[in-house]
Amino acid sequence: MRFPNSLYPGVLIAFLFFTACKAPIKESATMLIYGGNIYTVDSTQTMVEAVAVKDNTILFAGNLAEAEQFKNDQTQLLNLDGKTMTPGLIEGHGHFMGMGYSELNLDLNNTSSYQEIVDAVAERVKTAAPGEWITGRGWHQSKWKEMPAEMVNGFQTHELLSAVSPNNPVYLGHASGHAGFANAKAMEIAGLMVLSKEGINKFEVEGGEVIRDAMGRPTGIFNELAQNLITKHIPENTPLKDIQAFEMAVAACHRNGITGFHDAGIGRETIALYEEMKAQDKMKIRMYGMLSGGDTALLNEWYKKGPMIDPDNLVTIRSVKLNCDGALGSRGAWLLESYTDRPGHFGHETLPMNFVEETALNGLKHGFQVCSHAIGDRANREVLDRYELAFAELPQLATDHRFRIEHAQHLHPEDIPRFAQLNVIPAMQAIHMSSDRSWAIDRLGEQRIKEGAYMWQSLLKSGIPIVNGTDVPVEPLNPIASLYASVTRKTLQGTPDGGYEPAEKMTREQALRSYTLDAAYGAFEEDIKGSITVGKLADFTIYDQDLMKVAENELLNTEIVMTIFDGKMVYTKRK
């Protein structure tokens, strides 16, 4: 710096002294949060009094007096008034657009009988044009309070449904997504109501099953890959409807305190939609997309260009989703021994295991995580075997693969320690235990249930984290229900006393980690989210009561009252 010759030396000395002694300017917070129970999921300080945020990043987490040093006139002050805050919750396995469409189409999740399904369709027929498809999802015959008189292989038949919808094709997805129910009009369009020509069997589908009655006629139930016989005839969604479904799904996430979402199986159209929504500043959720493994052309495209790791952490593509078996509810899960309630039936291998091995090798070579749906004990064993072969073939590329098994619902006891040995992450939706355990024992029998079903604590003790979630729209997105199931192992009605197989309960700390830091780890994102730590993204979920201390019988009543995403309030519950 140059000074005019006339400047007195004393003034110069004073200026230099002032410059040298001036304290560095402290950064200012755009938001200061305090006044409640703040659980950080950070082992260095598990609870703090206050959090300071600058834009979309955590600037400080600690005591309130220190936090206030980051405050200025523009800082937004958020007094929790005794409420509880945690890191933003991450849905570790769901189907984002399916959730949005479940709100646009018939939602059958709360139906408790076949007649309620028929009534819902009859109501929709009143406003549908002749020939218009009626679609929906959410029915589950094992949850009905009463069963229809006519059933085949444990499922209803189409006659009552067809009677109320003679001029509209109807297709209703099972809650699990692994089966569907069609009326006569839909089967007529698919060419399945006419007797097959000699030597041609339209009903034989590898990796699936068309359930038929004693006369050989289709009952309307299409299991696993056989669903395509019907679904290929359903008109594709329009771009406008896609945007509506997307926006409804984002709003549902915010209402439920979800700031991150692992989307389990998406195609190029959905990826394009997400990129468009990001460009329009509508991607108000951190999306971790898994490429649909059923589209080999899509996989090959991505293998060539490599993962897309978003610097804004809004849309990241670095994993592949494989569907290796079905679900217990539809008796599609692939078992080592036959179903207790259907002797001689072992479920379905819905994807050749050599393709799983090939994909595992490609994943290692090209930097993609592999996430395989496996529910039955045989499917889990076969997938672990294929992963192990790939790791052995390319050990130098398998040092931090973080391959996952989605659901890992029923395991042979010998395979439980293999997850930790191979560093394979189980992504398990605790709410499935709550919803399914009461009837799953009919499928597997008592011994298999107790030794290998929903083995959360055994897996955690082996040294491997668990990624939690809901599998929405298979189950409602509500994370409180899944957290409740995690720590109680009870149904949402509070039964049985003590919970099912109580030794496998998670602690509350484990359950919260499974929805935050461990879920972030399952997506290679633990360095930027999952805990309230300086430098991480400012995503938070705020509850009306202390979910870590509230009495067990009150835990399920916990409500999400605020959601903060990217440093901004995106949801406040109306009083």
Side-chain angles (χ1 to χ4, degrees):
M1 180 177 291
R2 298 178 65 89
F3 291 90
N5 294 331
S6 60
L7 190 64
Y8 291 105
V11 175
L12 175 60
I13 292 169
F15 178 85
L16 294 173
F17 179 82
F18 175 80
T19 303
C21 295
K22 187 177 181 182
I25 298 172
K26 188 180 286 290
E27 291 186 274
S28 297
T30 50
M31 181 183 287
L32 181 62
I33 309 167
Y34 62 97
N37 308 301
I38 303 176
Y39 293 95
T40 65
V41 197
D42 183 327
S43 59
T44 60
Q45 50 175 0
T46 57
M47 292 189 73
V48 295
E49 291 181 335
V51 176
V53 171
K54 182 176 182 181
D55 300 325
N56 71 342
T57 305
I58 298 170
L59 188 60
F60 174 84
N63 67 61
L64 179 57
E66 287 185 71
E68 286 184 327
Q69 297 179 32
F70 296 90
K71 182 175 66 172
N72 65 16
D73 293 342
Q74 285 74 48
T75 302
Q76 178 185 355
L77 302 180
L78 176 58
N79 187 340
L80 295 174
D81 291 322
K83 300 180 183 69
T84 294
M85 186 170 91
T86 70
L89 299 179
I90 300 168
E91 169 58 55
H93 177 110
H95 305 277
F96 194 77
M97 294 302 292
M99 171 174 60
Y101 269 103
S102 70
E103 297 198 21
L104 288 175
N105 299 328
L106 278 179
D107 183 356
L108 304 173
N109 273 295
N110 295 319
T111 53
S112 59
S113 69
Y114 181 19
Q115 188 59 52
E116 287 186 20
I117 292 175
V118 171
D119 293 344
V121 171
E123 192 65 27
R124 184 59 63 92
V125 165
K126 293 177 182 177
T127 57
E132 180 183 348
W133 278 83
I134 295 173
T135 58
R137 179 172 172 169
W139 63 272
H140 198 309
Q141 80 289 355
S142 295
K143 299 179 183 179
W144 290 346
K145 295 177 181 177
E146 55 183 291
M147 294 304 218
E150 184 72 23
M151 296 189 78
V152 176
N153 286 345
F155 290 98
Q156 71 278 13
T157 60
H158 72 87
E159 286 80 12
L160 289 177
L161 178 67
S162 298
V164 300
S165 54
N167 300 315
N168 294 95
V170 177
Y171 190 70
L172 309 173
H174 191 268
S176 67
H178 289 269
F181 184 35
N183 72 346
K185 189 68 176 177
M187 290 188 284
E188 176 188 321
I189 289 171
L192 299 174
M193 297 299 282
V194 179
L195 291 176
S196 301
K197 295 179 181 179
E198 189 174 349
I200 299 175
N201 190 342
K202 298 178 182 178
F203 304 122
E204 287 297 324
V205 178
E206 186 175 355
E209 179 183 21
V210 178
I211 294 185
R212 293 183 284 166
D213 62 20
M215 302 293 291
R217 298 169 298 191
T219 63
I221 298 294
F222 295 81
N223 217 337
E224 304 302 341
L225 299 186
Q227 294 185 79
N228 188 51
L229 294 172
I230 301 293
T231 57
K232 66 184 179 183
H233 297 282
I234 300 175
E236 292 186 2
N237 296 318
T238 64
L240 177 60
K241 229 179 158 185
D242 282 342
I243 293 172
Q244 287 178 313
F246 173 87
E247 291 176 342
M248 294 180 84
V250 170
C253 284
H254 292 168
R255 288 195 307 272
N256 286 280
I258 301 296
T259 59
F261 198 102
H262 297 187
D263 201 352
I266 57 177
R268 54 173 49 84
E269 294 83 3
T270 301
I271 295 169
L273 173 66
Y274 291 168
E275 291 182 315
E276 179 187 348
M277 293 298 97
K278 180 187 172 183
Q280 294 182 19
D281 197 28
K282 293 182 178 180
M283 182 56 74
K284 303 301 184 183
I285 189 84
R286 304 198 190 281
M287 189 67 66
Y288 186 75
M290 306 177 193
L291 299 168
S292 177
D295 187 341
T296 53
L298 177 72
L299 296 187
N300 289 330
E301 284 175 26
W302 280 87
Y303 292 155
K304 288 178 182 177
K305 64 184 178 181
M308 182 176 76
I309 301 173
D310 186 356
D312 299 320
N313 198 242
L314 293 175
V315 183
T316 293
I317 308 291
R318 68 174 299 172
S319 63
V320 175
K321 165 74 182 304
L322 302 177
N323 289 309
C324 301
D325 74 338
L328 273 178
S330 59
R331 297 181 185 82
W334 192 20
L335 304 182
L336 291 165
E337 298 177 17
S338 68
Y339 279 80
T340 300
D341 58 357
R342 191 177 171 189
H345 181 69
F346 295 83
H348 302 285
E349 175 190 8
T350 56
L351 193 70
M353 287 299 110
N354 61 350
F355 185 73
V356 176
E357 184 179 349
E358 176 188 328
T359 305
L361 289 167
N362 278 323
L364 294 174
K365 291 173 184 175
H366 302 288
F368 285 89
Q369 178 189 45
V370 180
C371 307
S372 297
H373 164 116
I375 288 181
D377 55 358
R378 181 164 183 189
N380 277 277
R381 174 171 291 181
E382 296 276 357
V383 171
L384 288 171
D385 287 348
R386 296 327 185 276
Y387 284 178
E388 187 170 16
L389 288 170
F391 301 157
E393 185 169 332
L394 298 172
Q396 71 281 8
L397 299 177
T399 54
D400 190 26
H401 56 77
R402 304 197 197 182
F403 281 19
R404 294 168 39 163
I405 290 186
E406 308 300 306
H407 311 306
Q409 199 166 328
H410 173 229
L411 309 173
H412 190 282
E414 293 176 3
D415 292 319
I416 293 171
R418 296 181 68 198
F419 282 81
Q421 291 163 7
L422 297 172
N423 289 316
V424 172
I425 300 168
M428 306 175 76
Q429 299 73 52
I431 190 61
H432 285 335
M433 192 288 312
S434 181
S435 295
D436 300 357
R437 171 59 180 80
S438 60
W439 54 261
I441 195 168
D442 298 331
R443 303 282 194 272
L444 300 174
E446 185 174 5
Q447 181 178 349
R448 286 189 288 185
I449 281 281
K450 290 187 173 180
E451 292 182 352
Y454 321 105
M455 303 300 286
W456 309 326
Q457 196 57 242
S458 292
L459 286 161
L460 288 167
K461 285 179 177 177
S462 76
I464 199 75
I466 289 176
V467 175
N468 213 328
T470 62
D471 201 9
V472 64
V474 176
E475 302 278 358
L477 183 63
N478 181 9
I480 301 300
S482 206
L483 289 167
Y484 173 82
S486 301
V487 302
T488 69
R489 291 182 71 92
K490 293 180 179 181
T491 68
L492 299 188
Q493 290 71 45
T495 59
D497 289 341
Y500 291 109
E501 293 75 56
E504 294 298 328
K505 292 177 182 177
M506 295 186 203
T507 66
R508 296 200 191 195
E509 291 76 15
Q510 288 170 336
L512 181 58
R513 275 186 66 104
S514 73
Y515 250 101
T516 53
L517 192 57
D518 287 347
Y521 176 84
F524 297 88
E525 295 172 339
E526 73 277 11
D527 290 337
I528 55 173
K529 62 184 182 182
S531 67
I532 300 176
T533 303
V534 172
K536 290 192 178 184
L537 292 162
D539 298 341
F540 311 114
T541 304
I542 300 168
Y543 317 79
D544 66 344
Q545 59 182 357
D546 190 340
L547 75 169
M548 302 301 285
K549 293 180 180 177
V550 68
E552 183 180 288
N553 62 355
E554 289 295 323
L555 178 58
L556 199 55
N557 297 326
T558 305
E559 293 187 341
I560 309 296
V561 292
M562 284 180 270
T563 303
I564 296 172
F565 173 77
D566 219 36
K568 301 179 184 67
M569 187 79 68
V570 292
Y571 169 75
T572 303
K573 182 177 174 61
R574 293 181 180 175
K575 294 181 181 179

